Each structure stands twice: as structure tokens, then as C-alpha cells.
Amino acid sequence: MSIDFARARETMVEQQVRPWDVLDVRVLDTLAQVPREAYVPEALRALAYADTELPIGHGEIMLKPVLEGRALQALGVQAHESVLEIGTGSGYMAACLARLGREVVSIERHPDLAEAARARLAAQGVGNASVQAADAFAWAPGRTFDVICVTGAVATVPARFVEWLAAGGRMFVVHGRSPAMEAALVHPGVNGLRIESLFETDLPYLAGAEPTPVFTL
């Protein structure tokens, strides 16, 4: 049987994302227009609009639609802004960010995932997003970005990520110890970091950003 993906997309927006207080019109329009099924592994395409995480290989996941919606709303990407995404995954978030901003640079530590995401973005005609195969803890962008979206969790906010933010920039990141993690918007300033708490969640850690093991006797 064939799936009406347009109807499924509309249902996702109206029954999953909007009820979770995602009310930004540009974000809702983006989620309603970007074909999520085009970024989902073929075998899981029927689940493209389900309220669940989807495995994409290497133990990596595609975030729930509601989490993607909340992250996009929190970042408030404007049409003139540059975006760095840390953790490309399927390429779907890069496509959404590219629709909202001027340009997206996305990095993915698994070369095969990076290549697949690059191909999906090209197939969808997304010309203002580029994908690089790189480890965020060994990579140096040589520039700053207005917005950073981190799609995996970190135990603590890495200083190197903060350094990549332009003045007045902001970063969405999930930090803390599983299972009680906090999604936050990080704003650097002259008096240090301001961390704005958004909601509680639980995500797999970015490789290299896991907490130090706690040994108990």
C-alpha cells in the first residue's frame, strides 16, 4: 500500500509538533514543506512521520519530529544567518536549517552517513547546505557562525563549540547526564555563558562528549 506522505506530514505538524508548543510560523511551514521521508533510510520510510527516534546506522538516530521542531523554534534562525550543525545524521535537520537560514555547514563523523546526507540534500535541490565528514573534536572551521545546532548530547558544553559562535550568536545543545538531560539555548557574552533552559529530554551522546565515568565502591 502507498503512503500519503503529504497527509502524514500535515498530521505530524498538527498532532505532534504544534501541541508541544511549537508555534513559530516559519518553523511550522518548514516542517510542513521539507519531505522527511526523503531523508529516512528506505527500510524505515513508513515511519518517517512517527513520533519516535529512528536508527540511521552506527548507533546514530534521527531525532523525534517534536524535538526537531523545538530546536528549530529555540534557535530562531533568520534568513541572513549562517548555521553550523554538529552531527548531520540523515541530513533532514540540515535541510530544515537551510530553508530558514542563509547557509548551513554540517559536520558528520561517519563518512558514509555524510555521503548519504550529501546525496539526499542534492537530490532535494538544497543548494545552501554543505556536509563535511569530520569529528567535531578534531575539526577547526576557521570561522564563526551565527547559529549552532548540536544534534547529540554532551556532558558539559564544549568550550570549542562556544568559540565558533559569532557575537550575538546562540547554540542549541542538550547537556547533562542521562537520563535527566536538559535542552538549552547557550548565549555567549562578555560576562560568560548564559544558558537558557528549554526542556528535559534524553539523547545519545556525541562521540567524545560523554561524561567521565563515576566509580562507586
Side-chain angles (χ1 to χ4, degrees), residues 39-52:
Y39 296 90
V40 172
E42 187 74 42
L44 299 174
R45 200 150 285 179
L47 299 174
Y49 295 97
D51 182 23
T52 186

Side-chain angles (χ1 to χ4, degrees), residues 22-106:
V22 178
L23 305 174
D24 184 298
V25 174
R26 291 179 69 235
V27 170
L28 292 173
D29 182 60
T30 293
L31 295 175
Q33 296 297 325
V34 176
R36 203 169 192 266
E37 72 276 9
Y39 296 90
V40 172
E42 187 74 42
L44 299 174
R45 200 150 285 179
L47 299 174
Y49 295 97
D51 182 23
T52 186
E53 297 173 347
L54 297 176
I56 57 173
H58 299 286
E60 308 291 348
I61 59 159
M62 194 170 179
L63 301 176
K64 285 184 176 186
V66 290
L67 188 54
E68 291 165 333
R70 284 293 290 269
L72 291 170
Q73 177 168 270
L75 287 168
V77 181
Q78 299 303 301
H80 65 280
E81 291 184 313
S82 59
V83 183
L84 171 64
E85 179 188 34
I86 298 174
T88 312
S90 70
Y92 175 72
M93 267 301 259
C96 292
L97 291 162
R99 198 171 189 276
L100 292 163
R102 176 174 57 84
E103 62 154 341
V104 176
V105 174
S106 186

Side-chain angles (χ1 to χ4, degrees), residues 183-204:
L185 202 61
V186 176
H187 307 263
V190 290
N191 298 318
L193 289 186
R194 180 166 65 86
I195 299 180
E196 176 187 345
S197 175
L198 299 172
F199 54 90
E200 287 190 356
T201 188
D202 190 22
L203 285 184

